[in-house]
C-alpha cells in the first residue's frame, strides 16, 4: 500500500507569511563584498521579503569577526544594509552578537537604529546622515551558539538566560 500527499486547492486553512522566503547575508567570502554589495554593479539587487545581517562571529558591525581570523572592511555596515533593504522594499533583520559581544553593544545597536531621543547613539546616526530612525523591527539574538568553534558558545539553557537578560535590558 502506498500513501501520498494530496492537495485540495478548494480548502484554504490560512495564509503563508511572506517572511518565510527571507535571506541571510554575512561577510565571509563574496556574500556581501563582491556579491550583493558590489559598488557600481546592477547585478546585486534582487527582492526578498526580509534580509538578515550579522550572526555568529559576524554580528556586531564594529567588531572584526574573530572566528575568521580576518578583519572586514566594513564598507557595508548598518547604514548601507538598511539602505539596501529599503531600496529593495524588504525588511531589515539584524542579529546582535551574543558570542564575543556585550549587552551594552546590543543596546547601542538598537539605540543607533531606532532611537528617537537626544542620545549618543541616535545622534551618531544623525551625524551619519540619517535624521529619522531606521525603525528596525526584527532583531536576532546570536547565531549557531551550540558549536564549540563559536566564540562564547553556550549550552542551550545558558543561551536562553543570556537572551532573556538582553531582551529585558534592550526593552527599557
Amino acid at each position: 500500500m502506498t500513501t501520498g500527499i494530496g492537495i485540495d486547492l478548494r480548502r484554504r486553512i490560512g495564509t503563508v507569511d511572506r517572511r518565510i522566503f527571507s535571506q541571510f547575508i554575512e561577510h565571509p567570502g563574496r556574500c556581501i563584498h563582491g556579491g550583493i554589495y558590489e559598488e557600481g554593479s546592477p547585478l546585486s539587487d534582487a527582492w526578498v521579503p526580509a534580509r538578515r545581517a550579522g550572526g555568529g562571529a559576524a554580528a556586531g558591525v564594529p567588531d572584526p569577526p574573530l572566528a575568521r581570523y580576518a578583519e572586514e572592511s566594513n564598507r557595508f555596515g548598518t547604514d548601507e544594509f538598511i539602505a539596501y533593504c529599503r531600496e529593495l522594499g524588504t525588511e531589515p533583520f539584524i542579529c546582535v552578537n551574543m558570542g564575543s559581544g556585550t549587552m551594552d553593544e546590543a543596546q547601542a545597536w538598537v539605540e543607533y537604529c531606532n532611537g528617537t531621543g537626544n542620545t549618543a547613539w541616535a545622534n551618531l546616526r544623525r551625524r551619519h546622515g540619517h535624521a529619522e530612525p531606521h525603525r528596525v523591527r526584527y532583531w536576532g539574538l546570536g547565531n549557531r551558539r551550540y558549536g564549540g568553534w563559536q566564540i562564547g558558545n553556550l549550552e542551550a539553557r545558558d543561551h536562553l538566560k543570556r537572551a532573556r537578560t538582553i531582551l529585558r535590558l534592550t526593552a527599557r
Side-chain angles (χ1 to χ4, degrees), residues 57-139:
V61 170
D63 298 328
L66 302 173
R68 293 192 189 94
Y69 306 104
E71 290 188 29
E72 298 292 344
S73 70
N74 285 331
R75 292 186 337 262
F76 187 88
T78 300
D79 294 323
E80 292 79 13
F81 175 67
I82 299 294
Y84 180 69
C85 289
R86 299 299 185 232
E87 177 71 23
L88 298 177
T90 187
E91 285 288 332
F93 178 156
I94 296 177
C95 186
V96 300
N97 182 348
M98 284 186 60
S100 62
T102 67
M103 287 179 245
D104 288 341
E105 289 172 353
Q107 289 175 297
W109 209 353
V110 171
E111 181 65 29
Y112 180 88
C113 290
N114 296 344
T116 58
N118 185 23
T119 67
W121 290 104
N123 289 336
L124 179 61
R125 183 197 67 243
R126 291 179 185 108
R127 285 194 305 277
H128 288 165
H130 306 280
E132 294 299 314
H134 292 314
R135 293 181 179 86
V136 175
R137 299 185 322 171
Y138 303 109
W139 293 87

